[in-house]
């Protein structure tokens, strides 16, 4: 019996590598003793992370299709389906669409193949999916997306009534998660169907770029007279979320478009109009909630800082007026309403420019922004005012100091409340499960990544029967399974039975230099990128952008003079405008086009030197470097 597996990949090399490894290590012996012949196809949608090279070098038996653009999920799957079905058909041949961010148990493929062979009326089959923490994914089984079901799903009401036959109909929440049942819609992350079904209904509908194609395909299987079955007797891990975050507006918009295509195809008349209307209401409500929530989250801390600082300023003003001027009304009303808010906003803006609002928290940035920049600016501005407008230098200094202290106090409270980004990052209590040799390898990998590990312990009892107790007693926060010593089936079984809050599960593939967790990958590549902190951090990006804006405005202001010295006068205005609008930067780096490159500081630099200069610039970029390059080539802008 032959099983053809199609995996569409887009920039998830490490997930793909582990997925392929789990497939290749799967059992091949069917219930009747016959062997399951596997044929694997990977369609890469123009990845830039080295996925193609990895497949060619480590999985030579895999058929690789390399696209030169991202053609979408449906079209990429069809490319492989067309090629594999062009081959001579094999009796009982099966096809599996599999996501790259999944891991299959050793018996998953044979259990599904056996079930479909024993039930010829079944056209499609899916399995129970859990996430990287072992939690059940309700996407494992779904119902037909009626207008009502889709509306409840888009509005998030299914989370409030997860087992309601009506409200949770989108996920068929009334059906037990551990019971074999006929369902209507199967997930595209793991969708097995027969060659006979494909020959009858064809491939995936390419009108869908992402989302919706599995719904359409499952419904066509159902309409062709076959059953779609949910088979929870085996599991897969689906890390999910690498392409699009479910809470993002991009996801909501893409999902809405997919549902709109589905409506036009399967609903007519009043049903289609009702469905479209409900979806439009849902999308606008979701967009409004997402926008207001995002704005509220961003403004909450600055508003708290402002109110705390303003209250302190006003209190200090009252004390100073009473005990120094002996006149509670010594300061005019506009001082309280206008001058004090201006003082506070200047201090807060300087803190922001210095990275005081970036995460993780660096208190030194706040001190630098408010004291070394903000207070100096305020004192300089104060000295330029007319004598009648100088209310009190002492109040300015004491109020600025209060603003600093209140800002730091708010951060301290956030740290006590364990708010992410504000609490002190301590070493994670990590437990590595595997042989002593593999545990040492994982420890060395952590050390090479520079990861904070407050305590790294090992657990060599690979049958896992005492692991939960060890995790509880040692208050372990992170469990890393060594895949070469602990089989995937045992890992998934343990995770599904012990998804404890506060404990993160990760897998270290055999002989791999990376560790995969839920929506996260740790590899030497990530450590290398983290090292480039100057240019890639929010504060580094902000400083570079502000420099570009200031210098491009200055160049345009002086353009009546500068333009006469330029070698290409037309390009001068074009470059200034593109830098001002953010389409270019004066000195480019990897990922951002520039008018010049860091190697411009050394004329006639060869490729090797240019590469080293680029690395150095990204790691240690300073405004002086940009200034030096602009001054050297000021007549070549």
């Amino acid at each position: 019996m032959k099983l053809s597996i199609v995996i569409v990949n887009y920039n998830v090399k490490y997930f793909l590598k582990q997925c392929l490894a789990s497939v290749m290590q799967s059992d091949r012996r069917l219930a009747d003793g016959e062997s399951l012949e596997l044929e694997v196809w990977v369609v890469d949608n123009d990845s830039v992370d080295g996925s193609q090279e990895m497949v060619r070098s480590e999985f030579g038996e895999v058929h690789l299709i390399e696209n030169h653009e991202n053609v979408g999920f449906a079209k990429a799957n069809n490319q492989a389906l067309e090629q594999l079905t062009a081959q001579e058909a094999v009796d009982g041949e099966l096809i599996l669409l599999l996501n790259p961010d999944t891991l299959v148990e050793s018996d998953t493929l044979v259990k599904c193949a056996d079930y479909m062979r024993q039930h010829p009326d079944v056209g499609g089959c899916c399995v129970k999916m859990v996430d990287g923490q072992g939690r059940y994914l309700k996407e494992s089984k779904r119902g037909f997306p009626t207008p009502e079901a889709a509306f409840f799903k888009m509005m998030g009401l299914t989370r409030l009534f997860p087992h309601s036959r009506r409200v949770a109909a989108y996920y068929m929440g009334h059906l037990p998660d551990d019971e074999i049942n006929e369902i209507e819609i199967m997930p595209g992350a793991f969708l097995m169907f027969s060659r006979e079904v494909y020959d009858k209904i064809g491939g995936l509908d390419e009108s869908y770029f992402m989302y919706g194609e599995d719904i359409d395909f499952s419904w066509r299987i159902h309409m062709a007279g076959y059953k779609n079955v949910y088979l929870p007797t085996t599991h897969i891990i689906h890390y999910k979320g690498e392409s699009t975050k479910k809470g993002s507006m991009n996801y909501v918009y893409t999902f809405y478009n997919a549902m709109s295509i589905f409506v036009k195809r399967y609903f007519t008349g009043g049903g289609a109009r009702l469905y479209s209307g409900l979806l439009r209401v849902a999308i606008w409500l979701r967009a409004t909630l997402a926008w207001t929530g995002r704005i509220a989250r961003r403004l909450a801390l600055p508003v708290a800082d402002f109110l705390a600082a303003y209250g302190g300023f006003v209190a200090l003003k009252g004390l100073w007026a009473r005990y120094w001027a002996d006149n509670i009304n010594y300061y005019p009303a506009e001082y309280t309403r206008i001058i004090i808010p201006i003082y506070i906003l200047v201090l807060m803006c300087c803190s922001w420019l210095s990275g005081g609002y970036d995460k993780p928290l660096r208190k030194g940035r706040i001190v630098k922004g408010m004291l070394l920049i903000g207070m100096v600016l305020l004192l300089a501005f104060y000295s330029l005012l007319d004598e009648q407008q100088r209310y009190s230098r002492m109040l300015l200094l004491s109020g600025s100091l209060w603003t600093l202290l209140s800002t730091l106090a708010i951060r301290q409270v956030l740290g006590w409340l364990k708010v992410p980004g504000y609490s002190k990052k301590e070493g994670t209590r990590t437990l590595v499960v595997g042989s002593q040799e593999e545990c040492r390898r994982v420890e060395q990998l952590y050390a090479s990544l520079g990861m904070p590990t407050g305590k790294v312990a090992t657990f060599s009892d690979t049958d896992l029967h005492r692991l939960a107790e060890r995790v509880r007693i040692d208050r372990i926060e992170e469990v890393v399974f060594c895949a070469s010593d602990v089989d995937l089936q045992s890992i998934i079984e343990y995770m599904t039975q012990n998804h404890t809050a506060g404990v993160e599960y990760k897998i270290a593939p055999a002989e791999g230099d990376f560790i995969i967790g839920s929506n996260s990958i740790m590899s030497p590549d990530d450590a290398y990128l983290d090292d480039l902190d100057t240019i890639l951090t929010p504060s580094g990006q902000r400083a570079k952008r502000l420099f570009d804006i200031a210098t491009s405005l200055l160049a345009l202001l002086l353009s009546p003079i500068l333009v006469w010295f330029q070698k290409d006068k037309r390009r001068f205005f074009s470059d200034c405008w593109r830098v001002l609008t953010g389409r270019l930067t004066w000195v480019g780096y990897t990922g951002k086009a520039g008018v010049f490159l860091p190697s411009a500081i050394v004329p006639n630099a060869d490729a090797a030197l240019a590469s080293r200069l680029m690395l150095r610039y990204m790691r240690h970029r300073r405004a002086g470097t940009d200034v030096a390059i602009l001054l050297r080539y000021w007549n070549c802008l």
Side-chain angles (χ1 to χ4, degrees):
M1 188 177 190
K2 181 179 179 182
L3 171 63
S4 299
I5 302 175
V6 180
I7 303 173
V8 175
N9 176 70
Y10 181 64
N11 288 323
V12 286
K13 177 178 70 174
Y14 294 111
F15 284 101
L16 175 63
K17 181 176 180 178
Q18 190 165 309
C19 174
L20 289 172
S22 71
V23 168
M24 298 306 178
Q25 294 166 10
S26 295
D27 296 339
R28 307 290 178 91
R29 186 65 58 185
L30 297 169
D32 61 359
E34 184 184 344
S35 178
L36 183 65
E37 177 190 351
L38 291 185
E39 176 188 49
V40 182
W41 293 72
V42 171
V43 186
D44 186 82
N45 270 337
D46 197 28
S47 296
V48 296
D49 65 346
S51 295
Q52 307 96 322
E53 293 79 3
M54 183 274 295
V55 173
R56 283 196 297 267
S57 62
E58 300 187 35
F59 300 94
E61 67 273 39
V62 170
H63 301 277
L64 177 63
I65 300 176
E66 299 180 54
N67 290 324
H68 298 296
E69 62 176 323
N70 186 357
V71 298
F73 182 79
K75 186 172 182 178
N77 270 296
N78 285 344
Q79 287 177 297
L81 291 173
E82 289 167 4
Q83 291 197 34
L84 68 89
T85 53
Q87 306 167 6
E88 185 176 347
V90 177
D91 290 341
E93 183 176 352
L94 297 173
I95 300 171
L96 170 64
L97 306 184
L98 185 66
N99 268 26
D101 57 346
T102 59
L103 291 173
V104 299
E105 286 184 318
S106 58
D107 64 353
T108 297
L109 302 181
V110 293
K111 277 189 175 180
C112 292
D114 278 329
Y115 187 88
M116 292 195 66
R117 185 168 57 171
Q118 294 163 10
H119 300 82
D121 58 336
V122 173
C125 172
C126 61
V127 298
K128 184 176 182 179
M129 300 190 299
V130 297
D131 66 9
Q133 298 299 306
R135 296 169 297 204
Y136 172 73
L137 292 175
K138 57 184 178 296
E139 295 89 348
S140 300
K141 51 180 171 62
R142 287 181 287 175
F144 182 71
T146 63
E148 184 180 68
F151 179 80
F152 287 147
K153 191 265 183 190
M154 290 284 288
M155 294 305 300
L157 296 177
T158 54
R159 278 179 280 181
L160 299 178
F161 307 96
H163 303 297
S164 167
R165 178 185 291 270
R166 181 177 182 182
V167 179
Y170 189 89
Y171 294 117
M172 305 194 81
H174 62 287
L175 297 179
D177 300 337
D178 295 313
E179 184 179 290
I180 298 175
N181 271 298
E182 181 179 354
I183 59 174
E184 293 170 337
I185 305 299
M186 299 174 291
F190 185 102
L191 202 166
M192 184 177 288
F193 53 97
S194 65
R195 169 74 177 267
E196 176 185 326
V197 165
Y198 177 81
D199 291 338
K200 181 173 291 188
I201 71 171
L204 277 64
D205 192 326
E206 296 179 10
S207 301
Y208 304 91
F209 183 82
M210 186 168 63
Y211 305 122
E213 64 286 308
D214 51 354
I215 298 176
D216 183 277
F217 191 73
S218 298
W219 189 244
R220 282 192 283 136
I221 294 176
H222 176 76
M223 295 295 289
Y226 297 94
K227 292 181 179 179
N228 294 327
V229 172
Y230 168 66
L231 190 66
T233 55
T234 183
H235 308 73
I236 69 167
I237 295 178
H238 183 203
Y239 289 103
K240 63 182 274 187
E242 284 302 302
S243 298
T244 303
K245 299 300 181 185
K246 298 289 183 178
S248 69
M249 282 310 302
N250 184 41
Y251 164 73
V252 177
Y253 178 75
T254 308
F255 179 83
Y256 167 73
N257 278 345
M259 289 299 96
S260 296
I261 297 172
F262 190 83
V263 167
K264 293 174 183 176
R265 186 149 304 150
Y266 296 106
F267 288 84
T268 57
R273 288 191 295 272
L274 173 63
Y275 202 152
S276 295
L278 286 173
L279 285 175
R280 284 192 176 90
V281 170
I283 195 72
W284 280 108
L285 287 175
R286 187 74 173 266
T288 302
L289 290 174
W291 183 80
T292 54
R294 188 159 54 245
I295 295 298
R297 285 191 297 271
R298 290 183 177 179
L299 291 181
L301 185 57
V303 168
D305 289 342
F306 181 88
L307 293 177
Y310 186 78
F313 249 110
V314 172
L316 288 170
K317 183 205 73 168
L319 290 172
W320 194 252
R322 180 183 296 275
Y323 295 105
W324 179 79
D326 198 26
N327 178 9
I328 193 65
N329 297 317
Y330 177 75
Y331 294 99
E334 60 266 19
Y335 181 80
T336 304
R337 293 198 305 263
I338 301 174
I339 303 301
I340 290 179
I342 290 176
Y343 287 166
I344 297 172
L345 289 175
V346 169
L347 293 169
M348 289 177 60
C349 286
C350 291
S351 174
W352 173 73
L353 289 172
S354 297
Y357 285 92
D358 295 341
K359 297 180 183 179
L361 171 66
R362 297 287 186 272
K363 293 181 180 179
R365 296 173 179 172
I366 299 175
V367 174
K368 174 185 174 183
M370 289 193 175
L371 286 187
L372 301 183
I373 302 176
M375 191 179 293
V376 171
L377 284 176
L378 288 177
L379 288 173
F381 175 73
Y382 182 88
S383 65
L384 297 175
L385 293 176
D386 184 81
E387 187 69 30
Q388 299 298 321
Q389 296 175 318
R390 297 182 189 178
Y391 295 105
S392 172
R393 183 183 291 106
M394 180 57 69
L395 187 55
L396 170 60
L397 292 174
S398 60
S400 298
L401 184 60
W402 165 261
T403 301
L404 172 64
L405 294 176
S406 64
T407 300
L408 294 175
I410 290 173
R411 303 309 186 273
Q412 187 64 49
V413 172
L414 293 175
W416 289 335
L417 296 175
K418 303 295 184 183
V419 176
Y422 297 98
S423 57
K424 184 178 179 181
K425 182 63 176 178
E426 299 178 353
T428 303
R429 289 186 290 272
T430 302
L431 184 64
V432 183
V433 182
S435 65
Q436 290 186 358
E437 181 180 355
E438 273 295 286
C439 288
R440 281 196 298 271
R441 184 181 71 84
V442 171
E443 287 185 66
Q444 292 170 358
L445 180 56
Y446 265 83
S448 69
L449 296 173
M451 299 298 292
T453 51
K455 178 181 178 183
V456 179
T458 59
F459 189 84
S460 300
D461 192 349
T462 55
D463 61 8
L464 306 184
H465 73 283
R466 295 185 298 113
L467 178 58
E469 190 68 9
R470 175 71 181 277
V471 169
R472 184 185 65 81
I473 292 174
D474 290 348
R475 293 181 298 162
I476 298 298
E477 300 167 286
E478 179 181 80
V479 177
V480 181
F481 295 101
C482 299
S484 61
D485 300 316
V486 188
D487 65 272
L488 188 59
Q489 192 153 340
S490 298
I491 294 174
I492 297 177
E493 183 178 339
Y494 177 84
M495 289 169 55
T496 56
Q497 296 174 0
N498 299 277
H499 43 86
T500 309
V503 179
E504 184 174 1
Y505 297 111
K506 295 180 179 179
I507 298 176
E511 301 178 357
D513 59 349
F514 60 95
I515 298 173
I516 287 184
S518 181
N519 286 329
S520 67
I521 302 171
M522 295 189 303
S523 73
D525 292 341
D526 296 321
Y528 167 77
L529 288 175
D530 289 341
D531 189 40
L532 307 181
D533 56 354
T534 300
I535 200 73
L536 297 181
T537 56
S539 57
Q541 292 280 293
R542 185 165 53 246
K544 186 165 176 58
R545 183 74 189 112
L546 289 172
F547 176 86
D548 284 345
I549 292 173
T551 49
S552 58
L553 285 174
L554 180 61
L556 289 171
L557 183 65
L558 300 177
S559 60
I561 300 173
L562 290 179
V563 71
W564 298 106
F565 297 93
Q566 300 302 315
K567 295 180 179 179
D568 188 338
K569 294 178 175 54
R570 183 179 301 176
R571 184 179 171 184
F572 167 78
F573 289 104
S574 173
D575 285 347
C576 289
W577 177 251
R578 287 192 291 173
V579 170
L580 181 62
T581 56
R583 285 178 287 176
L584 285 179
T585 181
W586 284 124
V587 182
Y589 55 92
T590 303
K592 181 68 174 180
V595 179
F596 304 107
L597 293 175
S599 54
I601 201 71
V602 180
N604 304 317
D606 59 22
L609 178 57
S611 178
R612 291 198 300 273
L613 289 170
M614 175 66 78
L615 269 178
R616 183 172 179 81
Y617 179 79
M618 292 179 70
R619 285 176 174 156
H620 309 290
R621 182 264 173 187
R622 298 289 183 270
T625 308
D626 290 10
V627 170
I629 292 175
L630 286 178
L631 290 178
R632 180 185 292 270
Y633 297 99
W634 69 275
N635 62 337
C636 301
L637 300 184

